[in-house]
Structure formats: structure tokens, C-alpha cells
Amino acid sequence: MGLSRLAALHGVATSYSPSPDVTVSVPDDTVIAVLAALGVDAGTPADVRKCLAAAESRSRLLPPTVVVWAGEPLPPALAGLPPGSTVTVEPEPSDLPGHPAARPPAPLSMRARAAAPAAPVASPGEAAPEAVPAPEAPPAPGEAPAWWIPPPHGVHRVHVRTPDNRRATATLVAAPPRVPQPPEGTHGFLVQLYSLLSARSWGMGDLGDLADLAVWAGRSVGSGFVQVNPLHAAVPGKPTDPSPYRPSSRRFPDPVHLHVESIPEYGHVRDRATLDDLRQDAAALSEAVLNKGALIDRDAVWELKRQALELVAQVPLTPGRRADYCDFLAEQGQALEDHGLWCALAEVHGPDWHTWPEALRDPRSPGTARARSELLDRVDFHCRLAWLTATQLAAAQRSAEDAGMAVGIVHDLAVGVHPAGADTWSQQEAFAHGMSVGAPPDAFNARGQDWGLPPWRPDVLAATGYAAYRGLLRGLLAHAGALRIDHVMGLFRLWWVPEGRPPTDGTYVAYDAEAMLAVLVLEAHRAGTSVVGEDLGTVAPGVREALARRGVLGTSVLWFERDWEGDGRPLAPEKWRRDCLATATTHDLPSTAARLTGDHVTLRHRLGLLTRSLEEELTADLTDTAEWLALLARLRMLPEGDGDEEAAVRAVHRFLRRTPARMTGVWLPDTVGDRRPQNLPGTWDQYPNWRLPIADAEGHPVTLEEITASPRLHALMEVLRPRKPRTAPPGERRP
């Protein structure tokens, strides 16, 4: 019992329910290991008693972080303060990176009370206003008590002093109630950017291709957004981990996505011969991918771009460009300097900071300070690359907006980072070392999942006012029309797996979802962006409701939308939820053509991934698909009848358009009949995950130019194009 109580005090689960009628106990050694990663020694019964006594004896006047929502009741931490307590809110400084305020407002002082009149409230140097009479009754639901003066939206400091002179200070997150919402009925494309090669690409898709796609999609087919994979900085190495969901840093983008020729200094490089040679080599890379069956080689692309960028960096910046770069450095501050230093050190000592000389493993050590000085030019080079990439991200969003897109570029936030990367080095105290994020066993994976991503420590996040999380969101939202959050359930809890143990031996660790959501809503509100949460898989009760309350859209994939609480049949379009992004597939699932033809089953059979015989799997898959096709036929969405694959793909999207979903996403490979998944979960080197270009129905890679000219694409997009109301001829009354 002692271990269970201690675990509960630190948000560590000792059991979990994979289904409503099943409860699984977590092994004690897992609980002990997770507590140790949180700085709690529970190795022996005596240790448990000692830590439990210490934890239960601590009485905090305020938790480390307090959340207040605009127009909603105060949280118990503030509403329950002893009468007569003095509460002072110290506003957020306006010189923080990206802060919208011109100057901080004056501190707010107020006094909590029960039935006594309120104490005078005044800012320094101002006369105290008259006391506010005590209300005759408690505040109505949704109202704050009369003594409370709502601070502006932001992340402030709140100081409390009780009548008996107890004091406390905490971070105060003052958030609007919801994130901005996208227009209803918006449709757009989903694409893995590296897979989208144009005729000018250097062997993989880039930010120039993204901007071009956005302009074409907005102007030619009326799309409202383009959603891309995470563009986070990768861990360098040969080979580089190609997964965009296992980055070195989520805070800064990867310069491999740069369109080199669009950099203003490119045209002033003196060594044109070397640039021409590099461009020819890049053309050869693209030719190999598009016409010779080669896979996308991120390392080869980066080697060519790195050499070109080295030449570009030798060109002096103009005064205006220099001013812009200096502003970027000032805005990003220590976080960017640390990132640039990690990149420079990785060039010298390798990409895993755990193997560096001991003095360099601490970003704040004297040895690291010396290295910072010695590698100043390389640090500046990597900082400049971050700036160049940010400017092209901004240009892509402006291009999307100028093309009439209601949303623009939807960026993707990965659930975690690589254990050897820049973020875990520069923010070591924030990560639970020796732990990995994953998923418990479920109906789709009886062995569970281990994603190899160290989790954030919830206690450190709270103690630091969620500074790392705020900086991450602010950087991502700066050039986004919306943000997709991978595994959005991680705002509430994550499955932690102790190092060296199978995923089945993990457990859930809770996060302060109220604080995580408040920071997300605040930063999205400041940026004017919408948020989409990937809420597929195992979702704890109440999570979807909490997200919907704050305006975070969910993700609904057609093949999973069934009446699970009823007859289990496909869910009729009018019964789908409204606040979601509706799609036919994702990067982790078969394309629509592969799903309709059963090709995905034969692929998994060929790779030895099936848990049943091929005949059983094909029968089950055919039954599932037939049910959906029958529904589409009953709804008269498949007038062409059976046997027409392209017509069936159009019917699927016709169905999606019929749902009340705010956003409808079209997987770009679906527009040309691609049958290959971009990622096949459960595989590593058996399948070329994250390295395939978009291909047509015959498996031949196609360029951006060929995709946008595809008759199959245009026929599909006609299904999604908004219908203009018919204008009645003169004298005719419309029904």
C-alpha cells in the first residue's frame, strides 16, 4: 500500500485498463524504476516509508503552476486561499521571445476574503480604488469572486501571503478558453514533404516545393491547407534516422529542407563552378529516385546542401539581412545558441552526446564554455541555417495565405525527441533519463510499443513554469496556420518503459493536463492558429471531451469510424463528430487504393507481419471493405458501381465531405493511386520507411508537376470542391 500511495502522489499508475472490463497490475519493479527517474527513491520498504512521510508532510500553499481560464471559476488553489490573503500578480515581461505586448502592465494586488469587504486594489504609484462590497452569495458558475482582478492572457508570477505570514510563489498561466477555430468545411492535402519531389528538387522535397504546392492547391483546387510531417532537426549521422518523428530537436527546423537557390546570398556566391557541380549532383540524385528506383537518401542530399550552404555563408549579409538575423538571434536566445553549439560539437565528437568527453556532456560546464568560444564560427553557421530555414517556413505560410488558403501550412509536432539529440543535451534536467515513451499492449499490438523517446518529467515542467514547452510551441506556431500534435493524449499521460525492459513492463505517468492545455491554448491564441490532435488508438475516458472543450480538433480516420457501442457497423456520415480533421488514411496506414484492393495485407504477409494466415486476414479485410462499399452504394455515392478503383476512392472522399467535420484531409499519394505506405509500423530495415517518393498506381514515382497535372487528381478534387448555389433564371422561384 505504501508504494501505491507514493506512486499516486507522483502521478505514477500502479494499474491500467486496456479495456473497460480488464485491469492489469503494473510490476512493482517498474513502479520503483519510474519513481527513481522522477528523483524518488523507493528501492526498499524503508525508503518508501521515508519518501511517503516526506511527501505527505509537505503542505504547499500553491502548486508550482496555477491555471486560470478567462471567464471561468478560479481553480481551488486560488479560490480556497485563507480569507485575508494578499495575492499579487507579477505580469509576464514583454521582452520574452515573441511576446505580443508592448510593455508589461503594472502588478495587480488583491486580497482574498470570505464575507469581509475587499481590500483596496491598486498598482504602485496609483491611488487605491474604493473597496468592492462583498457579494451576498457565492459567485455564479463561470464567474470569479469579486476580489479577483483577471490578469491579461500570459504566463505570470503569482505571489501569495496569508494572514499568518505564510508565503508562496507560483507560475500563473492565464489562458483564453479556446484555441482559434478553422472555417467549417475546409479541405486540404496531407503530405510527407520529403516524398514530394519537383523537377528542381535536390533529391527530396523541400520548402520551395511546399510553397509551390500550397500556391497551386489554394488557387487551382480551392484547398484551405497543406499538412506536412514534422520538419524538426534530425540527428546527423550516416545513416541518419530517417523518421521525422524521432528528431534531435523539436524546437528548431532541419536545414535539409531548405531550397538553396531561394536564399538571397546564393546568387552572389563567387565559386559558381562548385555550385554548378553540386547542382548537377543533386539532379542526379533526383533522377535516381524518380526514374531508377533509388530510395530518397537524406544523407546524400544533406551532404550536397551542406557544401552549398558553406559557400552561401561566405557571402556577407546586406545591412537589412544582418539586422533581421540579429533580431532572430535575440528572439531565440539561449535555446538557439545551445542548439548551434550541439550541432558544432556533433561535427567534432559525433552525434551521441553521451559519448562526448565528459566535460562537454554538461551544456553549462566550463569545458563547454571553452568549446563554445573555440567553435564560434561553426555555432554561427548552424544558427544561420536555423534562421534561413525559419525565413523559408515563413515564406511558405505567406504564399499559402496569399493563395487564399484559410488555414495555410499545418505543421506537425512529434511526441518526443531522440535520446542522443540536441534537446536532451541542452535540457537534461527536463527529461526522465533511462525511460522511453511507448504504448501498452492493445488489440493491434499484443507486445506493446517502445518508441525510443525519453519523456519530459512532469515535475520539472511544472517547477519551471512549462518554459521548455512554451518555447517549443512558440517556435512551431510562429510560421504555422495550424498545428497537428502527434499522440495528443501525451498532454494527459504517457506510457513510460524502463530502459532494457519490454513495453509490457511499462506504466502510465500523468501530466498536469490543465496546465499543458492552458499553455497550448495561450500560445495558439497568440499565434492565431488552430490545433489538431492525433487522438487515435487507446484514449483514456474524458480526454476527447477535455480537448473539445478547449477547441482542439480530433482526428477521425474513415476505416476506424464504426458504431463501436452499437452494432459495430460503419458510422453514418451525419453521426461523425464535427470538431475533427476527417481523413481516409494517415502516414502510418495503407493508402486508400491499397486498402480497397487488399494490397496492404499481401504486403504485410510478404514481410512476415501477419498474426493469422493470409487467407484469414484477406477474408477479414474484404469483409471490412465490403461493408464500407455497401454503405457508400446505399448513400448513392458510388454511381459507377463495383470494380472501379478510382471511383471507389472518390466515393470515400465524397463520404468524408458529407460528414460535419470542420476539416477534410486528402492524402496526396491517394490522388495518384499510390499503393505504398510511407511508414509500416513494426518494421525497421524490412521496409523503406520514410524514404519513398510519391508514386502512381503502377509504382512509378511522380513529380510535383506531374501530380498537379494528373486527371485522376482533378477528378478526385471535384468531389471536394464547394458547390456554388445555382442562380435561378429570371421569373423562376427557387424551391
Side-chain angles (χ1 to χ4, degrees):
M1 290 296 292
L3 181 61
S4 296
R5 290 207 314 275
L6 184 62
L9 288 172
H10 292 86
V12 180
T14 54
S15 65
Y16 67 97
S17 297
S19 59
D21 56 343
V22 176
T23 298
V24 178
S25 295
V26 175
D28 284 353
D29 55 353
T30 293
V31 175
I32 292 169
V34 170
L35 285 171
L38 292 169
V40 180
D41 185 1
T44 67
D47 293 330
V48 170
R49 289 192 296 270
K50 179 181 177 181
C51 291
L52 188 58
E56 292 178 338
S57 66
R58 286 194 295 267
S59 177
R60 294 186 62 98
L61 190 59
L62 289 177
T65 297
V66 180
V67 171
V68 292
W69 298 97
E72 298 184 16
L74 286 185
L78 291 175
L81 288 172
S85 297
T86 299
V87 181
T88 303
V89 175
E90 179 185 344
E92 178 181 36
S94 62
D95 59 352
L96 293 177
H99 193 283
R103 64 180 180 86
L108 304 174
S109 295
M110 58 208 87
R111 180 166 294 173
R113 55 182 168 78
V121 177
S123 297
E126 299 179 349
E130 295 182 4
V132 180
E136 296 182 0
E143 295 181 358
W147 61 265
W148 174 251
I149 302 175
H153 297 153
V155 181
H156 316 297
R157 297 294 287 171
V158 59
H159 308 278
V160 171
R161 187 178 73 244
T162 65
D164 59 357
N165 211 34
R166 287 183 294 147
R167 298 171 183 264
T169 297
T171 298
L172 178 69
V173 182
R178 289 168 60 84
V179 300
Q181 298 295 288
E184 294 195 25
T186 304
H187 71 78
F189 291 107
L190 319 177
V191 62
Q192 299 282 293
L193 181 56
Y194 58 83
S195 71
L196 181 68
L197 282 74
S198 68
R200 67 182 186 180
S201 300
W202 286 40
M204 61 182 281
D206 58 39
L207 292 172
D209 299 324
L210 175 59
D212 207 38
L213 173 66
V215 170
W216 170 83
R219 291 180 176 168
S220 299
V221 295
S223 296
F225 66 91
V226 174
Q227 178 182 301
V228 296
N229 55 284
L231 304 182
H232 310 319
V235 177
K238 293 186 178 180
T240 297
D241 187 335
S243 172
Y245 292 92
R246 197 169 146 85
S248 169
S249 173
R250 296 187 294 174
R251 179 66 179 82
F252 297 101
D254 197 313
V256 76
H257 300 113
L258 281 168
H259 180 239
V260 180
E261 294 96 323
S262 294
I263 300 172
E265 290 73 35
Y266 178 88
H268 300 279
V269 172
R270 292 185 178 181
D271 189 353
R272 306 308 300 181
T274 300
L275 277 186
D276 290 343
D277 289 343
L278 292 172
R279 191 65 190 88
Q280 289 180 9
D281 290 343
L285 281 180
S286 289
E287 171 69 14
V289 171
L290 293 171
N291 296 309
K292 297 180 179 179
L295 299 175
I296 292 170
D297 188 340
R298 183 191 183 106
D299 295 323
V301 172
W302 173 238
E303 180 58 28
L304 295 178
K305 287 191 176 183
R306 183 193 61 76
Q307 294 180 52
L309 291 167
E310 298 275 7
L311 296 173
V312 169
Q314 295 174 15
V315 178
L317 297 173
T318 64
R321 293 271 290 167
R322 168 63 61 181
D324 188 49
Y325 178 43
C326 290
D327 285 347
F328 181 78
L329 292 174
E331 289 172 0
Q332 304 304 320
Q334 185 72 54
L336 176 59
E337 187 177 335
D338 285 344
H339 178 72
L341 178 57
W342 183 91
C343 293
L345 288 170
E347 290 177 333
V348 178
H349 301 287
D352 186 350
W353 62 267
H354 299 91
T355 66
W356 293 354
E358 188 171 354
L360 301 179
R361 297 176 198 170
D362 179 357
R364 305 293 170 246
S365 73
T368 301
R370 286 192 297 273
R372 195 182 303 265
S373 177
E374 294 166 357
L375 297 172
L376 187 60
D377 288 345
R378 296 307 298 172
V379 173
D380 181 70
F381 174 69
H382 291 289
C383 289
R384 184 179 295 199
L385 295 187
W387 168 61
L388 293 173
T389 312
T391 60
Q392 291 196 5
L393 287 169
Q397 177 61 15
R398 285 196 303 271
S399 296
E401 292 172 344
D402 291 346
M405 283 194 163
V407 176
I409 308 302
V410 182
H411 286 283
D412 198 351
L413 172 60
V415 70
V417 293
H418 196 286
D423 282 1
T424 58
W425 175 74
S426 61
Q427 302 170 3
Q428 293 178 39
E429 68 287 347
F431 289 92
H433 301 282
M435 294 289 144
S436 177
V437 173
D442 56 28
F444 299 98
N445 194 324
R447 293 172 292 185
Q449 300 176 56
D450 183 345
W451 302 329
L453 309 170
W456 264 336
R457 285 181 54 165
D459 56 331
V460 174
L461 285 177
T464 56
Y466 294 84
Y469 179 48
R470 286 186 280 134
L472 167 62
L473 290 174
R474 191 165 295 180
L476 283 170
L477 294 170
H479 311 302
L483 179 68
R484 174 191 181 270
I485 300 180
D486 190 44
H487 193 71
V488 72
M489 297 81 77
L491 301 180
F492 296 76
R493 66 179 187 178
L494 282 171
W495 184 257
W496 287 23
V497 181
E499 191 175 69
R501 298 184 187 178
T504 51
D505 285 355
T507 189
Y508 281 114
V509 175
Y511 291 75
D512 185 344
E514 193 81 349
M516 298 288 277
L517 281 173
V519 171
L520 173 63
V521 172
L522 172 64
E523 295 299 339
H525 176 81
R526 284 175 164 173
T529 57
S530 304
V531 179
V532 178
E534 186 269 299
D535 57 350
L536 305 174
T538 302
V539 183
V543 167
R544 288 196 174 104
E545 293 77 6
L547 292 169
R549 182 183 180 192
R550 298 304 170 196
V552 178
L553 305 185
T555 300
S556 293
V557 177
L558 181 129
W559 310 102
F560 301 153
E561 291 297 311
R562 290 175 170 269
D563 183 10
W564 298 114
E565 297 181 359
D567 58 14
R569 293 189 178 277
L571 201 61
E574 66 274 10
K575 293 184 178 180
W576 282 43
R577 53 180 169 170
R578 173 172 171 265
D579 294 327
C580 75
L581 166 63
T583 72
T585 189
T586 73
H587 58 267
D588 283 333
L589 297 172
S591 69
T592 304
R595 175 78 69 170
L596 291 168
T597 59
D599 282 6
H600 68 109
V601 177
T602 55
L603 172 62
R604 294 180 64 83
H605 171 68
R606 191 163 66 247
L607 297 175
L609 299 175
L610 298 183
T611 57
R612 297 180 292 182
S613 69
L614 176 60
E615 182 180 357
E616 289 176 305
E617 291 281 356
L618 284 173
T619 299
D621 185 70
L622 177 62
T623 301
D624 181 87
T625 302
E627 284 188 320
W628 278 103
L629 291 175
L631 175 59
L632 296 175
R634 288 198 303 273
L635 295 174
R636 299 182 180 179
M637 294 182 180
L638 191 54
E640 299 87 350
D642 296 336
D644 188 331
E645 176 195 307
E646 288 189 41
V649 173
R650 290 196 296 272
V652 164
H653 289 84
R654 198 173 280 124
F655 179 96
L656 293 176
R657 194 62 165 164
R658 179 81 66 86
T659 72
R662 277 188 173 272
M663 301 174 72
T664 302
V666 180
W667 179 235
L668 190 60
D670 273 349
T671 66
V672 289
D674 198 345
R675 282 165 162 69
R676 305 175 302 177
Q678 282 294 315
N679 178 51
L680 191 58
T683 63
W684 179 246
D685 55 1
Q686 308 99 307
Y687 186 80
N689 296 320
W690 318 113
R691 290 174 287 171
L692 292 171
I694 297 175
D696 61 19
E698 286 71 45
H700 187 276
V702 287
T703 63
L704 170 60
E705 293 83 358
E706 291 169 328
I707 293 170
T708 56
S710 166
R712 179 167 179 159
L713 176 146
H714 285 275
L716 174 58
M717 296 314 293
E718 277 299 314
V719 169
L720 297 174
R721 188 185 296 274
R723 301 295 182 187
K724 294 182 179 179
R726 185 174 68 90
T727 302
E732 177 183 332
R733 295 182 61 186
R734 297 191 62 184

Coordinates of all heavy atoms in Angstrom, one line a residue, residues 121 139 200 235 242 262 317 352 577 580 599 663 669 714:
V121 N -7.4 47.7 -4.0 CA -6.6 47.2 -5.0 C -6.0 48.4 -5.8 O -6.7 49.3 -6.2 CB -7.4 46.3 -6.0 CG1 -6.6 45.8 -7.1 CG2 -8.1 45.2 -5.2
P139 N -20.1 33.5 -6.0 CA -20.2 33.8 -7.4 C -20.9 32.7 -8.2 O -20.9 31.5 -7.9 CB -18.7 33.9 -7.9 CG -17.9 33.2 -6.9 CD -18.7 33.3 -5.6
R200 N 12.9 20.5 -59.7 CA 14.1 21.3 -59.3 C 14.6 20.8 -57.9 O 15.6 21.4 -57.4 CB 13.7 22.8 -59.1 CG 12.7 23.0 -58.0 CD 12.3 24.5 -57.9 NE 11.4 24.7 -56.8 CZ 10.9 25.9 -56.5 NH1 11.2 27.0 -57.2 NH2 10.1 26.1 -55.4
V235 N 18.9 14.0 -36.1 CA 20.2 13.7 -35.5 C 21.1 13.4 -36.7 O 20.8 12.5 -37.5 CB 20.1 12.5 -34.6 CG1 21.5 12.1 -34.1 CG2 19.2 12.8 -33.4
P242 N 15.9 8.2 -40.6 CA 15.0 8.9 -41.5 C 13.7 9.3 -40.9 O 12.9 10.1 -41.5 CB 14.8 7.9 -42.6 CG 14.9 6.6 -42.0 CD 16.0 6.8 -40.9
S262 N 16.8 29.7 -53.3 CA 15.9 30.8 -52.9 C 16.6 31.7 -51.8 O 16.1 32.7 -51.5 CB 14.6 30.3 -52.3 OG 13.8 29.6 -53.3
L317 N 26.2 39.4 -45.4 CA 24.8 39.8 -45.4 C 24.7 41.3 -45.7 O 25.5 42.1 -45.2 CB 24.1 39.4 -44.1 CG 24.1 37.9 -43.7 CD1 23.5 37.8 -42.3 CD2 23.2 37.2 -44.7
D352 N 26.1 11.4 -30.7 CA 25.6 11.0 -29.4 C 26.4 11.7 -28.3 O 27.5 11.3 -28.0 CB 25.7 9.5 -29.3 CG 25.1 8.9 -28.0 OD1 24.7 9.7 -27.2 OD2 25.0 7.7 -27.9
R577 N -18.2 13.2 -35.5 CA -18.1 14.4 -34.8 C -17.7 15.6 -35.7 O -17.1 15.4 -36.7 CB -17.0 14.2 -33.7 CG -15.7 13.7 -34.2 CD -14.7 13.6 -33.1 NE -13.5 12.9 -33.5 CZ -12.4 12.8 -32.8 NH1 -12.3 13.3 -31.6 NH2 -11.3 12.1 -33.2
C580 N -13.3 17.9 -35.9 CA -12.2 17.0 -36.2 C -11.7 17.2 -37.6 O -12.3 18.0 -38.4 CB -12.7 15.5 -36.1 SG -13.7 15.0 -37.5
D599 N -4.1 -4.8 -51.0 CA -2.6 -4.9 -51.3 C -1.9 -4.8 -49.9 O -0.8 -5.3 -49.8 CB -2.2 -3.7 -52.2 CG -2.5 -4.1 -53.6 OD1 -3.2 -5.1 -53.9 OD2 -2.1 -3.3 -54.5
M663 N -12.6 20.0 -40.9 CA -11.6 19.9 -41.9 C -11.6 18.5 -42.5 O -11.8 17.5 -41.9 CB -10.2 20.1 -41.2 CG -10.1 21.5 -40.6 SD -8.5 21.7 -39.7 CE -7.3 21.8 -41.0
P669 N -0.7 11.2 -51.8 CA -0.5 10.0 -52.7 C -1.8 9.3 -53.1 O -1.8 8.6 -54.2 CB 0.3 9.0 -51.7 CG 1.0 9.9 -50.8 CD 0.1 11.1 -50.5
H714 N -7.5 15.7 -60.4 CA -8.6 16.7 -60.6 C -10.0 16.1 -60.5 O -10.9 16.8 -60.1 CB -8.3 17.4 -62.0 CG -7.2 18.3 -61.9 ND1 -7.3 19.6 -61.5 CD2 -5.8 18.1 -62.2 CE1 -6.1 20.2 -61.6 NE2 -5.2 19.3 -62.0

